């Protein structure tokens, strides 16, 4: 039987000082990634990002959560959104309800064109400047590509941008489905996750190329599951 490793459990909620994370200072690593994101584009302020990768299991959701925590220590209103609608996981990692979320909010917004904050849950932490808001995936839908590619999604994202200081969107991988492209087009920039243990270099290059050809602003990549360098995370332009 193959033994499953659960190393990322150590990396969830990097701000929780009561848990020993290992010899690496993850808070510092994520602060460094935050700074790189903030200064990645000259002349244009980055206020919303999406996170994608080549395939499932490369630590997109884990990285999204950790980044959301670190942004919440600096920005008043931070929102973390689950846009991996085929495999909604954010609510499980965050131990939150997914009774209603993004898909439900989009269905309502498509009819009313009014922003309803009731779909968004909140998390507080003494180290946060304000609150961390979470929009889980919501009810399972048969047509995620259609929904994420719609004008309703684009308009909804614009309304979210007006209501939050920084938005982080956890996306599906690019290798098999194109859901991350319309999401990438709706945010200011995209981070591409590369797992030192899982990612095929050529596949990743093809995915990044596909994103760029579809006008997604790829800001850089984060290397996960690496045992060398600065622990299990590194950031590259
Ligand atoms: N930095 C990391 N180092 C090692 N393992 C990790 C790391 N981040 C996440 N993992 C593990 O990798 C698996 C996939 O993580 P997840 O964030 O759900 O990936 P994705 O969202 O890309 O599918 C999980 O089992 C998690 O425990
Ligand atoms: Mg995920």
């Amino acid at each position: 039987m193959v033994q499953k490793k659960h190393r990322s459990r150590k990396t969830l909620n990097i701000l929780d000082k009561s848990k020993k994370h290992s010899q690496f200072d993850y808070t510092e690593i994520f602060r460094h990634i935050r700074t790189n994101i903030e200064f990645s584009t000259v002349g244009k302020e980055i206020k919303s990002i999406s996170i994608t990768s080549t395939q499932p299991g490369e630590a997109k959701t884990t990285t999204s959560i950790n980044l959301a925590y670190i942004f919440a220590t600096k920005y008043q209103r931070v929102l973390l959104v689950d846009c991996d609608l085929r495999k909604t996981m954010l609510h499980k990692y965050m131990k939150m309800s997914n009774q209603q979320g993004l898909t439900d909010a989009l269905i309502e917004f498509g009819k009313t064109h009014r922003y309803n904050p009731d779909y968004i849950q909140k998390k507080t932490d003494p180290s946060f400047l304000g609150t961390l808001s979470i929009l889980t995936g919501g009810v399972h839908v048969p047509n995620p590509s259609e929904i994420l590619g719609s004008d309703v999604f684009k308009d909804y994202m614009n309304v979210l941008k007006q209501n939050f200081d920084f938005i982080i969107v956890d996306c599906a991988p690019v290798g098999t489905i194109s859901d991350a492209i319309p999401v990438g087009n709706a945010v200011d920039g995209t981070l591409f996750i590369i797992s030192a243990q899982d990612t095929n270099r050529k596949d990743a290059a093809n995915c990044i190329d596909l994103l760029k050809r579809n006008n997604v602003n790829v800001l850089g990549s984060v290397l996960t599951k690496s045992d060398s360098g600065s622990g299990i995370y590194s950031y590259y332009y």
Side-chain angles (χ1 to χ4, degrees):
M1 203 178 85
V2 180
Q3 280 263 293
K4 216 176 167 202
K5 285 189 196 169
H6 285 291
R7 294 177 50 202
S8 82
R9 295 281 171 254
K10 293 180 196 162
T11 65
L12 275 177
N13 194 355
I14 45 165
L15 302 176
D16 188 349
K17 299 275 188 294
S18 66
K19 292 190 185 114
K20 270 195 126 147
H21 292 304
S22 86
Q23 74 267 40
F24 299 115
D25 186 347
Y26 294 113
T27 314
E28 195 44 50
I29 291 168
F30 276 94
R31 219 177 275 134
H32 181 68
I33 297 173
R34 184 185 66 200
T35 307
N36 280 314
I37 292 166
E38 290 170 322
F39 290 96
S40 56
T41 309
V42 182
K44 188 178 184 260
E45 203 184 352
I46 302 286
K47 290 185 73 188
S48 56
I49 58 163
S50 67
I51 293 181
T52 189
S53 75
T54 313
Q55 56 180 21
E58 292 172 317
K60 290 178 289 300
T61 304
T62 314
T63 307
S64 303
I65 294 169
N66 284 330
L67 270 178
Y69 272 98
I70 215 75
F71 271 94
T73 64
K74 188 173 173 185
Y75 294 74
Q76 274 284 345
R77 301 169 305 166
V78 176
L79 173 68
L80 175 60
V81 187
D82 191 350
C83 262
D84 190 349
L85 297 182
R86 288 160 213 267
K87 193 185 158 204
T88 52
M89 287 296 281
L90 190 59
H91 60 285
K92 290 188 184 158
Y93 281 48
M94 300 292 290
K95 297 188 172 65
M96 284 179 151
S97 156
N98 188 33
Q99 253 200 331
Q100 50 178 24
L102 175 65
T103 50
D104 308 273
L106 287 172
I107 290 166
E108 187 188 294
F109 185 75
K111 290 178 193 152
T112 63
H113 270 268
R114 283 220 328 265
Y115 170 64
N116 180 356
D118 292 351
Y119 292 101
I120 292 170
Q121 300 176 68
K122 295 205 181 296
K123 245 204 155 47
T124 51
D125 189 286
S127 57
F128 290 168
L129 197 62
T131 42
L132 172 59
S133 297
I134 316 281
L135 183 53
T136 60
V139 68
H140 185 77
V141 289
N143 53 345
S145 299
E146 204 181 306
I147 287 185
L148 297 174
S150 69
D151 283 344
V152 172
F153 176 73
K154 215 190 293 169
D155 293 346
Y156 186 68
M157 282 301 295
N158 282 331
V159 172
L160 289 180
K161 283 183 201 169
Q162 287 160 21
N163 283 276
F164 292 93
D165 303 316
F166 204 93
I167 303 175
I168 294 165
V169 187
D170 183 22
C171 289
V174 198
T176 44
I177 34 165
S178 57
D179 292 5
I181 292 172
V183 182
N185 290 140
V187 292
D188 298 327
T190 294
L191 271 192
F192 194 86
I193 305 295
I194 292 173
S195 159
Q197 289 171 20
D198 314 287
T199 312
N200 174 287
R201 191 184 282 245
K202 217 170 166 185
D203 292 345
N206 286 336
C207 288
I208 292 172
D209 193 45
L210 179 73
L211 290 170
K212 286 182 174 171
R213 274 190 283 119
N214 284 279
N215 302 318
V216 173
N217 179 22
V218 182
L219 300 172
S221 50
V222 174
L223 184 71
T224 61
K225 307 195 188 183
S226 150
D227 284 325
S228 58
S230 52
I232 59 170
Y233 281 97
S234 324
Y235 183 86
Y236 296 96
Y237 281 109

